[in-house]
């Protein structure tokens, strides 16, 4: 549906100040995946000339809610949050509320009809019109809806990039052509569209110029990148090209799809020193019958062969995954097959959830008579197994020397620094050292904690422009 006031697809900076000439403040609440976090950062950037960010919604002149429809009960969560925001708005009538993300894309105008507190709704392809929607609303126009699908990538302000971070997200594609039966992403984000390589490279260069040392490439299925471009380019070619950028220390990406893994992927991971020794490869289920019902176009043998090849070529590689428990019709034996794969692969970590039907997906229509309590029980068993494996993995690093990219103050003790290993484990430095964020340092792991490692510095740091 087009914006109902016909606002143009262009970037208009919202008025920088309110009547009392104080800077306006924006509160952004983000749900969901890294793609949504990235979109929220884009919003922050788009509004930077008019707004400063606040963490307190009660002080905000503008509230943006970036929704996710992947997890449980997304609409309920949105309307309950809108209920809270409505009370704040009653106290501060000048406050504007905008709803974006996947739920906004799906629900569109329904959100405005259901909640009178909402001033505008913007879809997953409509971030760049948010400043225009704000201006229209502030100048007295009716509540706005902008959820048009667009093929092309949106125009963003020149130099858009996350600033002053050691590790930055860069989106390389959006949408998905896979149609897994439980997933709403192909509906909310549309078919897969690759971003032109030059654009990605430009964003990476700016990030590196501002002090980034690591880039994390984002896409629903990163390894199908480039097939829709002309001329075609492969994901591996993109990585090779980016890895040559001056100042770049590391590249990560999430998530590759097992069906799209080719020989050149193994070559790259094993031979390019800038590509991190960590692959997040969604499994979803260890049962072939469930994988088929999910429309995941690989089977357990194929998945296992990929992991085997990765481990053979890169023995210290870390593998993480996503798992859905209690998919409609999942039997006890099929759940055991998932546990068997966990045992076999020894995942370094996994993100697991109980199946939750998304209206509009094929899986939501499937017969599902397994009690929720049984699904929860299975989830607990699976997560307990994962915790056990993780503890062994963390312990196995004790005594080893690892390379750590320092990212900022430690969450446990802000006077000290923390960073991550190539395998994506967090390492907290045990002391204060003459090093800074952005340095690549050698650490000896002294001990492991529940989810992290503790290390002492050894050797000289590789410096080169601190991010902070
Ligand atoms: S690959 Fe499947 S789960 Fe992932 S975004 Fe595409 S449809 Fe959804």
């Amino acid at each position: 549906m087009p914006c109902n006031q016909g606002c143009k697809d262009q970037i208009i900076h919202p008025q920088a100040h309110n009547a009392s000439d104080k800077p306006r403040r924006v509160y952004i609440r983000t749900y969901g995946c890294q793609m949504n976090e990235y979109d929220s950062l884009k919003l922050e950037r788009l509004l930077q000339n008019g707004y400063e960010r606040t963490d307190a919604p009660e002080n905000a002149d503008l509230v943006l809610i970036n929704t996710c429809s992947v997890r449980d009960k997304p609409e309920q969560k949105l309307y309950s949050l809108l209920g809270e925001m409505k009370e704040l708005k009653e106290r501060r009538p000048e406050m504007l509320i905008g709803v974006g993300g996947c739920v906004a894309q799906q629900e569109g105008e329904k959100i405005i009809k259901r909640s009178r507190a909402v001033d505008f709704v913007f879809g997953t392809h409509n971030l760049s019109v948010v400043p225009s929607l704000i201006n229209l609303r502030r100048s007295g126009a009716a509540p706005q809806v902008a959820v048009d699908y667009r093929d092309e990538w949106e125009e963003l302000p020149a130099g858009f990039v996350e600033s002053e971070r050691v590790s930055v997200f860069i989106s390389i594609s959006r949408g998905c052509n896979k149609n897994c039966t439980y997933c709403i992403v192909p509906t909310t984000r549309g078919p897969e569209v690759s971003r032109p390589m030059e654009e990605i490279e430009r964003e990476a260069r700016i990030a590196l110029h501002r002090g980034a040392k690591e880039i994390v490439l984002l896409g629903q299925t990163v390894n199908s990148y480039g097939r829709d471009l002309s001329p075609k380019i492969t994901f591996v070619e993109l990585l090779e090209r980016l890895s040559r950028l001056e100042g770049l220390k590391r590249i990560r990406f999430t998530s590759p799809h097992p069906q799209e893994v080719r020989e050149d992927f193994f070559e790259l991971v094993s031979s390019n020193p800038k590509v991190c020794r960590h692959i997040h490869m969604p499994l979803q289920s260890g049962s072939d019958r469930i994988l088929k019902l999910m429309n995941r176009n690989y089977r357990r043998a194929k998945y296992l062969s990929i992991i085997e090849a990765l481990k053979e070529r890169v023995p210290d590689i870390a593998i993480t995954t996503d798992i859905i428990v209690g998919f409609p019709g999942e039997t006890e034996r099929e759940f055991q097959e998932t546990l068997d794969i966990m045992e076999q692969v020894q995942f370094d970590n996994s993100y697991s959830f109980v199946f939750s039907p998304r209206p509009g997906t094929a899986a939501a229509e499937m017969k599902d008579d397994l009690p929720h309590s049984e699904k929860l029980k299975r989830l607990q068993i699976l997560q307990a197994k994962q915790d056990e494996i993780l503890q062994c993995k963390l312990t196995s690093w004790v005594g080893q020397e690892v390379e750590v990219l320092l990212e900022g103050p430690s969450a446990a003790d802000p006077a000290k620094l923390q960073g991550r290993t190539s395998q994506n484990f967090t390492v907290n430095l045990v002391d204060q050292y003459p090093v800074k964020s952005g340095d690549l340092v050698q650490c000896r792991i002294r001990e492991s904690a529940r989810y992290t490692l503790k290390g002492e510095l050894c050797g000289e740091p590789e410096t080169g422009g601190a991010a902070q």
Side-chain angles (χ1 to χ4, degrees), residues 175-186 220-221 257 284 295-296:
C176 184
N177 294 341
K178 292 284 186 237
N179 288 315
C180 301
T181 54
Y182 54 83
C183 181
I184 197 69
V185 166
Q220 303 296 343
T221 59
H257 191 290
Q284 308 302 5
N295 196 29
R296 300 284 294 179

Side-chain angles (χ1 to χ4, degrees), residues 268-456:
L268 174 95
V269 176
S270 58
S271 65
N272 191 319
K274 291 193 182 172
V275 173
C276 285
R277 271 52 188 146
H278 169 223
I279 304 289
H280 182 79
M281 184 77 73
L283 165 66
Q284 308 302 5
S285 171
S287 151
D288 281 351
R289 191 185 76 88
I290 297 293
L291 286 172
K292 193 169 176 201
L293 282 176
M294 289 175 165
N295 196 29
R296 300 284 294 179
N297 296 326
Y298 55 86
R299 298 295 173 256
R300 62 181 282 140
K302 158 93 177 173
Y303 187 91
L304 286 169
S305 73
I306 292 171
I307 304 302
E308 198 184 316
L310 283 169
K311 287 186 171 180
E312 196 181 298
R313 296 187 192 207
V314 189
D316 63 347
I317 200 161
I319 311 280
T320 57
T321 198
D322 297 326
I323 293 174
I324 296 173
V325 171
F327 191 78
E330 183 193 71
T331 63
E332 177 61 33
R333 196 180 55 77
E334 287 162 341
F335 170 61
Q336 287 299 330
E337 288 181 292
T338 302
L339 283 182
D340 288 350
I341 285 209
M342 284 191 81
E343 190 62 49
Q344 224 171 316
V345 175
Q346 296 282 301
F347 291 111
D348 293 73
N349 214 342
S350 60
Y351 302 89
S352 48
F353 304 91
V354 164
F355 168 77
S356 145
R358 295 274 73 88
T361 61
E365 306 300 316
M366 292 178 188
K367 185 162 175 255
D368 186 6
D369 43 20
L370 192 66
H372 191 67
S373 55
E374 177 58 29
K375 295 184 182 198
L376 276 179
K377 199 175 101 197
R378 289 182 188 177
L379 183 69
Q380 283 162 1
I381 294 170
L382 187 121
Q383 291 183 338
K385 161 105 337 231
Q386 181 60 67
D387 271 358
E388 214 178 274
I389 297 171
L390 175 61
Q391 288 319 305
C392 291
K393 293 276 181 176
L394 287 168
T395 312
S396 72
W397 285 104
V398 175
Q400 295 205 47
E401 202 179 295
V402 294
E403 189 186 73
V404 176
L405 178 60
L406 296 174
E407 294 185 344
S410 155
D413 178 354
K416 295 167 190 164
L417 288 171
Q418 71 172 36
R420 275 177 302 145
T421 65
S422 179
Q423 290 79 4
N424 211 29
F425 286 109
T426 297
V427 177
N428 289 297
L429 296 186
V430 293
D431 214 336
Q432 292 183 31
Y433 298 98
V435 288
K436 57 195 178 307
S437 293
D439 287 351
L440 204 53
V441 299
Q442 289 298 119
C443 281
R444 168 114 26 227
I445 301 300
R446 267 213 215 153
E447 56 182 289
S448 62
R450 184 146 190 220
Y451 299 109
T452 56
L453 297 166
K454 289 183 188 171
E456 64 195 358

Side-chain angles (χ1 to χ4, degrees), residues 1-9 105 108-109 112 121-123 126 129 133 136 142-150:
M1 178 189 287
C3 163
N4 61 9
Q5 293 294 314
C7 67
K8 295 280 180 285
D9 177 10
Q105 185 68 44
E109 201 164 7
I112 288 196
V121 172
F122 55 102
N126 304 83
V129 298
L133 301 178
L136 279 164
Q144 301 287 304
V145 179
V147 290
D148 282 353
Y149 173 75
R150 301 159 206 218

Side-chain angles (χ1 to χ4, degrees), residues 105 123-127 148-151 154 174 188-190:
Q105 185 68 44
T124 50
H125 296 190
N126 304 83
L127 302 188
D148 282 353
Y149 173 75
R150 301 159 206 218
D151 264 344
E154 287 185 279
R174 60 156 205 239
T188 57
R189 300 224 171 222

